[in-house]
Amino acid sequence: MALLYTVALGANLLILITIYLDPNLHQPMYQFLGILAVVDIGLATTCMPKILSILWLDAKTISLPECFAQIYAIHTFMGMESGIFLCMAIDRYVAICYPLQYPSIVTEAFVIKVTLSMLLRNGLLAIPVPVLAAQRQYCSRNEIDHCLCSNLGVISLACDDITVNRAYQLALAWIMAGSDMILVCVSYALIIRSVLRLNSTEAISKALSTCSSHLILIMFYYTAIVILSVTHLAGRKVPLISVLLNVLHIVIPPSLNPMVYALRTQELKVGFQKVFGLSEYVSRK
C-alpha cells in the first residue's frame, strides 16, 4: 500500500511538473491529463494516510465529522475522475472527427469551463451524501468492517431507516458514473465509425494510437466500478472482498494512470527527457 501510494504521488507530480515545464505539452489533451493527475493525488491522499496508519499504527478510530468529510471527499474525487475521463473522450472525439475545427472548439477557455462544470457537478451532488448520513441516529455498534469511511458501511450502523440514503447513493452513481460511462461509449463509437471510414491503414493506426492510452484507463476504471458494485452484495457474506476491492480501486488508478500515459505517449516521453536533461545528452551522443 505504501509503495502504491508513493508511486501515485511521485508519478502524478512528475507528470504535472513535465506538463508545466514543457511548452509543447500546453495542449488541451495534456491539460486534461494534468487535471487528472491532480484528481488522482487528491483521491489517493484522501484515504491512504489513514489506511496506512491503521495497518502500521493500529490507529482504528476516527471521529464522525472526519468520517463524513472523508465520505464527501471520496465521492467528489471519484466523480471528478469519471468526469475528466468524459472530457478527455470528448477532446479525442473532436480531434479525430473534426480535426480542422479542433483548434477553434477545444481551446484553453473550453478546458477551464468543462473542468469547472465537472467540479461544480460533483462537488454539489456529493454534499447530500454526508449530510444524509449525519442525520441518522447511531446508537448501537460503532465499528465498520472497512479501513475507510464508505457511505454504505457507515450508514449500516444507523438505528433508524436508511432507505433515503441508499436511494440517493444509487441515484448519484447513475448520475455521475452511469451518465459519464454512456457518453464515453457514445464518443468512442463515433470515433471508431469515423476512423473506419478512412482509406489509409496508416491513418487508421495513427488515429487509434492517439486515444489508446485513454481507452485502456477508461476500460479499467469503469470495469472496476462494475465489479465493485456486483461484489458489494457478496461482501455482505464475505466482507473482505468488498473491503479489498474498495481499497484497490482507490489506490490503483492513481498509480496506473500516469504509468500508462508515460509508456504509451511519445510527447510525454520527450517531455520527461527534457525535465531530467536527458534530451541534450541523447542528442549529443
Side-chain angles (χ1 to χ4, degrees):
M1 290 297 175
L3 179 60
L4 285 173
Y5 182 49
T6 303
V7 169
L9 289 182
N12 283 293
L13 284 173
L14 177 59
I15 281 185
L16 284 172
I17 293 171
T18 302
I19 292 174
Y20 177 76
L21 294 179
D22 189 351
N24 294 326
L25 298 179
H26 294 177
Q27 305 172 26
M29 175 181 174
Y30 298 105
Q31 288 170 347
F32 281 128
L33 180 58
I35 297 168
L36 181 64
V38 173
V39 172
D40 282 338
I41 291 173
L43 179 60
T45 304
T46 296
C47 303
M48 286 310 299
K50 182 59 181 177
I51 292 174
L52 291 175
S53 69
I54 292 172
L55 297 176
W56 277 337
L57 307 175
D58 202 35
K60 297 182 179 180
T61 59
I62 185 171
S63 67
L64 275 178
E66 290 175 337
C67 195
F68 295 144
Q70 189 180 66
I71 288 174
Y72 175 76
I74 290 173
H75 281 78
T76 301
F77 282 120
M78 291 288 285
M80 277 296 297
E81 183 140 2
S82 177
I84 295 303
F85 279 141
L86 173 59
C87 293
M88 296 171 81
I90 294 173
D91 171 72
R92 292 299 84 201
Y93 165 70
V94 177
I96 293 174
C97 298
Y98 301 96
L100 297 180
Q101 293 89 351
Y102 178 78
S104 61
I105 296 175
V106 185
T107 60
E108 186 174 344
F110 175 84
V111 174
I112 294 173
K113 288 177 182 178
V114 295
T115 303
L116 288 177
S117 67
M118 287 298 167
L119 183 60
L120 286 173
R121 183 197 73 168
N122 299 302
L124 294 176
L125 289 177
I127 291 176
V129 178
V131 171
L132 290 172
Q135 292 176 347
R136 303 279 68 84
Q137 298 295 323
Y138 300 94
C139 54
S140 56
R141 295 188 303 122
N142 65 345
E143 181 178 322
I144 58 174
D145 296 322
H146 219 304
C147 49
L148 55 86
C149 289
S150 67
N151 181 47
L152 295 178
V154 172
I155 62 175
S156 66
L157 303 178
C159 303
D160 51 352
D161 186 41
I162 58 173
T163 303
V164 175
N165 301 68
R166 289 182 177 275
Y168 189 79
Q169 179 79 40
L170 180 62
L172 187 64
W174 275 107
I175 292 172
M176 286 187 180
S179 62
D180 289 347
M181 183 168 58
I182 292 172
L183 292 173
V184 166
C185 291
V186 171
S187 297
Y188 272 97
L190 295 174
I191 287 173
I192 292 173
R193 187 185 69 172
S194 178
V195 167
L196 293 178
R197 290 178 177 176
L198 298 174
N199 296 323
S200 170
T201 305
E202 183 180 353
I204 293 175
S205 177
K206 184 176 180 181
L208 291 178
S209 66
T210 60
C211 51
S212 60
S213 302
H214 182 226
L215 193 57
I216 290 172
L217 297 180
I218 284 176
M219 291 177 64
F220 176 81
Y221 179 80
Y222 288 117
T223 301
I225 286 182
V226 172
I227 294 174
L228 190 62
S229 302
V230 171
T231 54
H232 177 71
L233 296 176
R236 295 179 180 179
K237 297 181 179 179
V238 188
L240 180 61
I241 295 176
S242 59
V243 171
L244 180 61
L245 288 176
N246 254 309
V247 173
L248 292 179
H249 191 241
I250 292 292
V251 70
I252 287 183
S255 308
L256 182 68
N257 293 348
M259 288 190 288
V260 170
Y261 270 99
L263 292 173
R264 298 185 63 86
T265 308
Q266 183 62 32
E267 293 83 356
L268 209 52
K269 291 180 183 178
V270 174
F272 290 149
Q273 292 175 356
K274 290 180 180 178
V275 169
F276 289 107
L278 296 176
S279 58
E280 184 179 355
Y281 169 76
V282 172
S283 61
R284 286 179 178 178
K285 187 175 180 179

